[in-house]
Amino acid sequence: MPVALRACGTKCVVLIATPASVNYPATKSDVPSLPESESMKAVTSNRYVVAFSLGAFLYVAVESAVYVWVPTLVAGYRGTVAWLAVYSISMFFQLRATRRLVGAWMLNSASWTAVLAVFAGLIFA
């Protein structure tokens, strides 16, 4: 077995065993728990929850499509901006990381409802 494969397997085992060995504190909830079927019905009947879940699903689908299909799409590109095609995946991930940092900063420094309203309006526009 190659050394790199053994190292990768060892890392996987460590990454699985570490959280499994942590003694997490018990959660405290002031909200009375509903039976599983009732809570599931309450959640799935809320249109905002369904819309948010659908949005998250579509975001992950698009993100996955970008880093799975873009290399195949640009593999044979020989145009005037070939450098852009080569670095497109790197730029995508750099912009994604920047977006997350700026988003976290914005949510810490402004009201989340105002931020959401402004950016939802910009997306709509």
Coordinates of all heavy atoms in Angstrom, one line a residue, residues 1-36:
M1 N 0.8 -1.2 0.0 CA 0.0 0.0 0.0 C 0.9 1.2 0.0 O 1.8 1.4 0.8 CB -0.9 0.0 1.2 CG -1.8 1.2 1.3 SD -2.9 1.2 2.8 CE -4.0 -0.2 2.4
P2 N 0.6 2.2 -0.9 CA 1.4 3.4 -1.0 C 1.4 4.2 0.3 O 0.4 4.2 1.0 CB 0.8 4.2 -2.1 CG 0.0 3.3 -2.9 CD -0.4 2.2 -1.9
V3 N 2.5 4.9 0.6 CA 2.6 5.7 1.9 C 1.5 6.8 1.9 O 0.9 7.1 2.9 CB 4.0 6.3 2.0 CG1 4.1 7.2 3.2 CG2 5.0 5.2 2.1
A4 N 1.3 7.5 0.8 CA 0.3 8.6 0.7 C -1.1 8.1 1.0 O -1.9 8.7 1.7 CB 0.4 9.2 -0.7
L5 N -1.4 6.9 0.5 CA -2.7 6.3 0.8 C -2.9 6.0 2.3 O -3.9 6.2 2.9 CB -2.9 5.1 -0.1 CG -4.3 4.5 -0.1 CD1 -5.3 5.5 -0.6 CD2 -4.4 3.3 -1.0
R6 N -1.8 5.4 2.9 CA -1.9 5.1 4.3 C -2.0 6.4 5.1 O -2.8 6.5 6.1 CB -0.6 4.4 4.7 CG -0.9 2.9 5.1 CD 0.3 2.3 5.5 NE 1.2 2.1 4.3 CZ 2.4 1.8 4.3 NH1 3.0 1.5 5.4 NH2 3.1 1.6 3.2
A7 N -1.3 7.5 4.7 CA -1.4 8.7 5.5 C -2.8 9.3 5.3 O -3.4 9.8 6.3 CB -0.4 9.7 4.9
C8 N -3.4 9.2 4.2 CA -4.8 9.7 4.0 C -5.8 8.9 4.8 O -6.6 9.5 5.5 CB -5.1 9.6 2.5 SG -6.7 10.3 2.1
G9 N -5.6 7.6 4.9 CA -6.5 6.8 5.7 C -6.3 7.1 7.2 O -7.3 7.1 7.9
T10 N -5.1 7.3 7.6 CA -4.8 7.7 9.0 C -5.5 9.0 9.3 O -6.1 9.1 10.4 CB -3.3 7.8 9.2 OG1 -2.7 6.5 8.9 CG2 -3.0 8.1 10.7
K11 N -5.4 10.0 8.5 CA -6.0 11.3 8.7 C -7.5 11.1 8.8 O -8.2 11.7 9.7 CB -5.7 12.3 7.5 CG -4.3 12.8 7.6 CD -4.1 13.7 6.4 CE -2.7 14.1 6.2 NZ -2.4 14.9 5.0
C12 N -8.1 10.3 8.0 CA -9.6 10.0 8.0 C -10.0 9.4 9.4 O -11.0 9.8 10.0 CB -10.0 9.1 6.9 SG -10.0 9.9 5.3
V13 N -9.2 8.4 9.8 CA -9.5 7.8 11.1 C -9.4 8.8 12.2 O -10.2 8.9 13.1 CB -8.6 6.6 11.3 CG1 -8.7 6.1 12.8 CG2 -8.9 5.5 10.3
V14 N -8.4 9.6 12.2 CA -8.2 10.7 13.3 C -9.3 11.7 13.2 O -9.9 12.0 14.3 CB -6.8 11.4 13.1 CG1 -6.7 12.6 14.0 CG2 -5.7 10.4 13.4
L15 N -9.7 12.1 12.0 CA -10.8 13.0 11.9 C -12.2 12.5 12.3 O -13.1 13.2 12.8 CB -10.9 13.6 10.5 CG -9.8 14.5 10.1 CD1 -9.9 14.8 8.6 CD2 -9.9 15.8 10.9
I16 N -12.3 11.2 12.3 CA -13.6 10.5 12.7 C -13.5 10.3 14.2 O -14.5 10.5 15.0 CB -13.8 9.2 11.9 CG1 -14.2 9.6 10.5 CG2 -14.9 8.4 12.6 CD1 -14.2 8.4 9.6
A17 N -12.4 9.8 14.7 CA -12.2 9.4 16.1 C -12.2 10.7 17.0 O -12.7 10.6 18.2 CB -10.9 8.6 16.3
T18 N -11.6 11.8 16.6 CA -11.5 12.9 17.5 C -12.9 13.4 17.9 O -13.1 13.6 19.2 CB -10.7 14.1 16.8 OG1 -9.4 13.6 16.4 CG2 -10.6 15.3 17.7
P19 N -13.8 13.8 17.1 CA -15.1 14.2 17.6 C -15.9 13.1 18.3 O -16.7 13.4 19.2 CB -15.9 14.7 16.3 CG -15.0 14.5 15.2 CD -13.8 13.9 15.6
A20 N -15.6 11.9 18.0 CA -16.3 10.8 18.6 C -15.9 10.6 20.1 O -16.6 10.1 20.9 CB -16.1 9.5 17.9
S21 N -14.6 11.1 20.4 CA -14.1 10.9 21.7 C -14.3 12.1 22.6 O -14.0 12.1 23.8 CB -12.6 10.6 21.6 OG -11.9 11.8 21.1
V22 N -14.9 13.2 22.1 CA -15.1 14.4 22.9 C -16.4 14.3 23.7 O -17.4 13.7 23.3 CB -15.3 15.6 21.9 CG1 -15.7 16.9 22.7 CG2 -14.0 15.9 21.2
N23 N -16.3 14.7 25.0 CA -17.4 14.7 25.9 C -18.2 16.0 25.7 O -17.8 17.0 26.4 CB -17.0 14.4 27.3 CG -18.1 14.2 28.2 OD1 -19.2 14.0 27.8 ND2 -17.9 14.3 29.5
Y24 N -19.2 16.0 24.9 CA -20.0 17.3 24.7 C -20.9 17.6 25.8 O -21.5 16.7 26.4 CB -20.8 17.1 23.4 CG -19.9 17.0 22.2 CD1 -19.7 15.8 21.6 CD2 -19.3 18.1 21.6 CE1 -18.9 15.7 20.4 CE2 -18.5 18.0 20.5 CZ -18.3 16.8 19.9 OH -17.5 16.7 18.8
P25 N -21.1 18.9 26.1 CA -22.1 19.2 27.2 C -23.5 18.9 26.8 O -23.8 18.9 25.6 CB -21.9 20.7 27.4 CG -21.3 21.2 26.2 CD -20.5 20.0 25.6
A26 N -24.3 18.6 27.8 CA -25.8 18.3 27.5 C -26.4 19.6 27.1 O -26.1 20.7 27.6 CB -26.4 17.7 28.7
T27 N -27.4 19.5 26.1 CA -28.1 20.7 25.7 C -29.3 21.0 26.6 O -29.9 20.0 27.2 CB -28.6 20.5 24.3 OG1 -29.4 19.4 24.2 CG2 -27.5 20.4 23.3
K28 N -29.5 22.2 26.8 CA -30.7 22.6 27.7 C -31.7 23.3 26.8 O -31.3 24.2 26.0 CB -30.2 23.5 28.8 CG -29.2 22.9 29.7 CD -28.7 23.9 30.7 CE -27.5 23.3 31.5 NZ -26.9 24.3 32.4
S29 N -32.9 23.0 26.9 CA -34.0 23.6 26.1 C -35.1 24.0 27.0 O -35.6 23.1 27.8 CB -34.4 22.6 25.0 OG -35.5 23.2 24.3
D30 N -35.6 25.2 26.8 CA -36.8 25.7 27.6 C -38.0 25.4 26.8 O -39.1 25.5 27.3 CB -36.7 27.2 27.8 CG -35.5 27.5 28.8 OD1 -35.1 26.6 29.5 OD2 -35.0 28.6 28.7
V31 N -37.9 25.0 25.5 CA -39.0 24.8 24.6 C -39.4 23.3 24.8 O -38.6 22.4 24.7 CB -38.6 25.0 23.2 CG1 -39.8 24.8 22.2 CG2 -38.1 26.4 23.0
P32 N -40.7 23.1 25.1 CA -41.2 21.7 25.2 C -41.1 21.0 23.9 O -41.4 21.6 22.8 CB -42.7 21.9 25.6 CG -43.1 23.3 25.3 CD -41.8 24.1 25.3
S33 N -40.6 19.8 23.9 CA -40.5 19.1 22.6 C -41.8 18.5 22.2 O -42.6 18.0 22.9 CB -39.4 18.0 22.8 OG -39.9 17.1 23.8
L34 N -42.0 18.6 20.9 CA -43.2 18.0 20.2 C -42.8 16.6 19.8 O -41.7 16.2 19.5 CB -43.6 18.8 19.0 CG -44.0 20.2 19.3 CD1 -44.2 20.9 17.9 CD2 -45.3 20.2 20.0
P35 N -43.8 15.7 19.7 CA -43.6 14.4 19.0 C -43.0 14.6 17.6 O -43.3 15.6 17.0 CB -44.9 13.8 19.0 CG -45.7 14.5 20.0 CD -45.2 15.8 20.1
E36 N -42.2 13.7 17.2 CA -41.4 13.8 15.9 C -42.3 14.2 14.8 O -42.0 15.0 14.0 CB -40.6 12.6 15.7 CG -39.7 12.7 14.5 CD -38.6 13.6 14.8 OE1 -38.1 13.8 15.9 OE2 -38.1 14.2 13.8

